[in-house]
Amino acid sequence: MLQHLITQDTGLRMVPTDRDELTTAVDQLHEELRALPEGADLARTRVLTRWIGIGEMSLGNHGEARTFLRQSLDLAAAIGNTRAVVATGLNLGDAHRYAGDIHAADALYRRALDTARGQHPELVDFALQHFGKHLTEQGNLAPARAHLEEALRLRLAKGEPELIDSTKAALDRVALLIDQANAKASAGDGATPGQWSGRWTSWLQSRTTARTPARWAKEFPTLRDAVSGLTAHQRVHPRHLRDQSFPAELIAAMAEEAEKAVAADGYLHNGKWNAAVGNAANRFAGQVDLAAVVARSPGLEVEQPHTAVYIAYLEEGQFLDFHVDEFGFGEANLILCLKHGRPTGAPRVSTTVFINADGYLECDLAAGDCVVFDGALTPHGRTSLSAGESVTLISFGFRARAQAPRTITHLPPVPG
C-alpha cells in the first residue's frame, strides 16, 4: 500500500523515499479511515490503521504510529487473524524501538517470534529479522547475528531475492559493528573480546574438564594462579540461591514452555540444548524483580534482564565443559532451574560447577533454585548426567546499571 514510498536508511530503519509524497499518501489513508461508515468491515479498518501506523513511523511520528498500530493489533486479535497479529506486532515493536522504548519493543518482538514459531512458520524469518535488528541496535551483536543467520537460512530456502538481500544487509551491518567494537577493544596480547574469551576457554579445557570430577583436585594447583587473576575482576562472585519464593506456577509454565521449545526448535550449542524463550519466560521476567535478586546477592546494581535462553540436558553423559561466556551476555548471569529429574538411587547427580580462586564450587540445583555469577570471568560448566536424569534451566543476562561497559583492556591475558 505504501511500500513504494518507504526505503531504509544506513541504520536499516524505515524512512520515506520522498517525504512529501509519503505524507500525502498517509493523509489519504487517514481520510479513507474517517470516511468508513460506522460498523464497517473490521478487516478493512485493520489494514488502514496498520498502514497509517507504518507510514507515520517512517515519517518519524512515533506517538501516532504506536496509537494506530496498537489499534490495528487489537483488531487483528479480535478478528482472530493470528497472521496479522504477528505482522502488526512486529510493526508495533519497530515503532516502540524507533521511539526508544526498548523494553516494550523487546516484549513485542519476543511475542511475535513465539507466535510465528507456533502457528505461522512462514513468518518466522520476518520475526527473526526484526528481532535481529533490535538486538543489533542494543549492541547484543552475537545473538543478533544468530537470529539473522537463522533468518537468512529460511529466506534462502524461500528463494526470494529481495528478502535475502535485506537479511544480508542486516548481517553486513552486524559484521561492521563487530569489527568496529573489536578495533576499539584491545588487550595486552592484541585479542578481540571474542578471541579473548575463546582463548581462555581453550586454555581451561586443555587443563581440566567438567566431565571427570576426579581430575579436579589433581589439576587445580596448575590453575590456581591463572584463575585467581581472572576472577579478581569479577563483578559478581558465584552464589547458590535457594528459597527465593518464585511463584511455583510460573516455574512450571516455563518448564513446560522450555520442553516444547527444545522439542520444536532446539539446537545444540556447546554440548547442550538451547531454545528461544517465549511468553512464559516473559511473564516471569515481568512479574519477578530479577534485578533485585541479583543485587541482593553481590550488591551489583543491574538492569532488568536484556536476554534469556532455555537450556536443557536430556541424555546420559551429557555435560558442559568449563568455559567463559562472551561479554555480550552481560556483567551478571542468573541460571534458574526449572526442572531436575533425578533417578532413584543414582550415586551422583549432575551439578552446575564453577572454578574460583579457592577451588571448585558445585551447585546441585532443584526446581526454583538459582545461581548468580559473572559468566564472562567465571569458568563454569555442568557435570555429566546419570542414566535417567534430565535438567531444564533458563539463563538470564544482565547489564550493570550506572557502570562503564566492561572491556578486556585491563583483564589478564590468557596464560602461555
Side-chain angles (χ1 to χ4, degrees), residues 67 102 148 212 218 235 237 242 273 317 326 332 335 369 387 409:
T67 297
I102 303 306
L148 292 167
T212 311
K218 178 181 178 182
R235 292 183 176 179
H237 298 293
R242 303 177 179 85
W273 288 101
E326 291 191 19
I335 293 179
D369 285 356
T409 304

Side-chain angles (χ1 to χ4, degrees), residues 110-168:
R110 291 181 187 278
R111 192 176 305 125
L113 179 57
D114 183 60
T115 304
R117 289 193 190 279
Q119 300 182 50
H120 293 282
E122 75 280 6
L123 296 180
V124 170
D125 59 313
F126 290 95
L128 289 165
Q129 176 91 356
H130 285 254
F131 200 2
K133 289 183 180 181
H134 165 69
L135 292 168
T136 300
E137 290 191 5
Q138 296 312 300
N140 301 329
L141 300 180
R145 181 169 55 190
H147 281 69
L148 292 167
E149 286 175 343
E150 184 181 353
L152 182 60
R153 288 194 296 271
L154 293 171
R155 291 184 163 183
L156 287 169
K158 285 183 174 181
E160 298 184 27
E162 287 189 8
L163 297 181
I164 292 169
D165 289 345
S166 176
T167 305
K168 285 183 176 179

Side-chain angles (χ1 to χ4, degrees), residues 171-232:
L171 279 167
D172 287 345
R173 178 164 176 76
V174 171
L176 174 63
L177 293 173
I178 289 174
D179 288 344
Q180 291 175 344
N182 289 342
K184 291 179 181 178
S186 61
D189 61 356
T192 66
Q195 291 170 336
W196 184 89
S197 301
R199 291 175 187 175
W200 263 105
T201 293
S202 297
W203 186 86
L204 289 162
Q205 293 177 358
S206 71
R207 285 159 175 78
T208 188
T209 178
R211 182 200 291 271
T212 311
R215 284 186 56 185
W216 294 352
K218 178 181 178 182
E219 301 294 340
F220 181 69
T222 66
L223 303 174
R224 179 183 290 112
D225 290 344
V227 172
S228 296
L230 182 68
T231 59

Side-chain angles (χ1 to χ4, degrees), residues 295-306:
R296 283 198 300 270
S297 176
L300 176 71
E301 293 293 332
V302 296
E303 300 173 352
Q304 286 297 101
H306 66 91

Side-chain angles (χ1 to χ4, degrees), residues 53-377:
I54 292 172
E56 296 286 11
M57 174 170 52
S58 302
L59 291 166
N61 302 325
H62 300 136
E64 288 283 290
R66 284 178 289 182
T67 297
F68 282 96
L69 287 168
R70 171 53 65 184
Q71 182 181 350
S72 183
L73 181 59
D74 291 344
L75 286 169
I79 295 168
N81 186 340
T82 54
R83 197 175 192 282
V85 167
V86 173
T88 310
L90 294 172
N91 299 142
L92 183 56
D94 288 346
H96 280 280
R97 171 163 61 96
Y98 288 17
D101 188 354
I102 303 306
H103 296 298
D106 192 272
L108 285 159
Y109 292 134
R110 291 181 187 278
R111 192 176 305 125
L113 179 57
D114 183 60
T115 304
R117 289 193 190 279
Q119 300 182 50
H120 293 282
E122 75 280 6
L123 296 180
V124 170
D125 59 313
F126 290 95
L128 289 165
Q129 176 91 356
H130 285 254
F131 200 2
K133 289 183 180 181
H134 165 69
L135 292 168
T136 300
E137 290 191 5
Q138 296 312 300
N140 301 329
L141 300 180
R145 181 169 55 190
H147 281 69
L148 292 167
E149 286 175 343
E150 184 181 353
L152 182 60
R153 288 194 296 271
L154 293 171
R155 291 184 163 183
L156 287 169
K158 285 183 174 181
E160 298 184 27
E162 287 189 8
L163 297 181
I164 292 169
D165 289 345
S166 176
T167 305
K168 285 183 176 179
L171 279 167
D172 287 345
R173 178 164 176 76
V174 171
L176 174 63
L177 293 173
I178 289 174
D179 288 344
Q180 291 175 344
N182 289 342
K184 291 179 181 178
S186 61
D189 61 356
T192 66
Q195 291 170 336
W196 184 89
S197 301
R199 291 175 187 175
W200 263 105
T201 293
S202 297
W203 186 86
L204 289 162
Q205 293 177 358
S206 71
R207 285 159 175 78
T208 188
T209 178
R211 182 200 291 271
T212 311
R215 284 186 56 185
W216 294 352
K218 178 181 178 182
E219 301 294 340
F220 181 69
T222 66
L223 303 174
R224 179 183 290 112
D225 290 344
V227 172
S228 296
L230 182 68
T231 59
H233 296 271
Q234 290 172 346
R235 292 183 176 179
V236 182
H237 298 293
R239 185 173 178 184
H240 186 175
L241 304 179
R242 303 177 179 85
D243 303 322
Q244 291 298 301
S245 300
F246 296 135
E249 65 276 11
L250 297 182
I251 300 290
M254 285 191 291
E256 181 180 358
E257 180 176 79
E259 181 179 359
K260 292 178 179 177
V262 168
D265 300 294
Y267 56 96
L268 278 172
H269 179 64
N270 290 341
K272 65 187 184 303
W273 288 101
N274 282 21
V277 301
N279 289 335
N282 293 331
R283 283 195 300 272
F284 178 81
Q287 294 182 36
V288 176
D289 190 353
L290 290 172
V293 175
V294 173
R296 283 198 300 270
S297 176
L300 176 71
E301 293 293 332
V302 296
E303 300 173 352
Q304 286 297 101
H306 66 91
T307 188
V309 63
Y310 285 130
I311 300 170
Y313 300 85
L314 305 174
E315 297 91 23
E316 179 182 359
Q318 194 172 10
F319 76 106
L320 176 62
D321 224 341
F322 289 115
H323 65 286
V324 291
D325 296 334
E326 291 191 19
F327 280 26
F329 206 71
E331 287 84 13
N333 305 61
L334 184 150
I335 293 179
L336 170 63
C337 181
L338 304 177
K339 185 178 181 181
H340 192 163
R342 300 165 182 261
T344 303
R348 184 179 181 89
V349 295
S350 176
T351 60
T352 301
V353 61
F354 304 91
I355 308 176
N356 57 38
D358 300 320
Y360 294 83
L361 171 65
E362 283 194 84
C363 300
D364 179 3
L365 301 179
D369 285 356
C370 59
V371 288
V372 175
F373 63 105
D374 185 337
L377 296 178

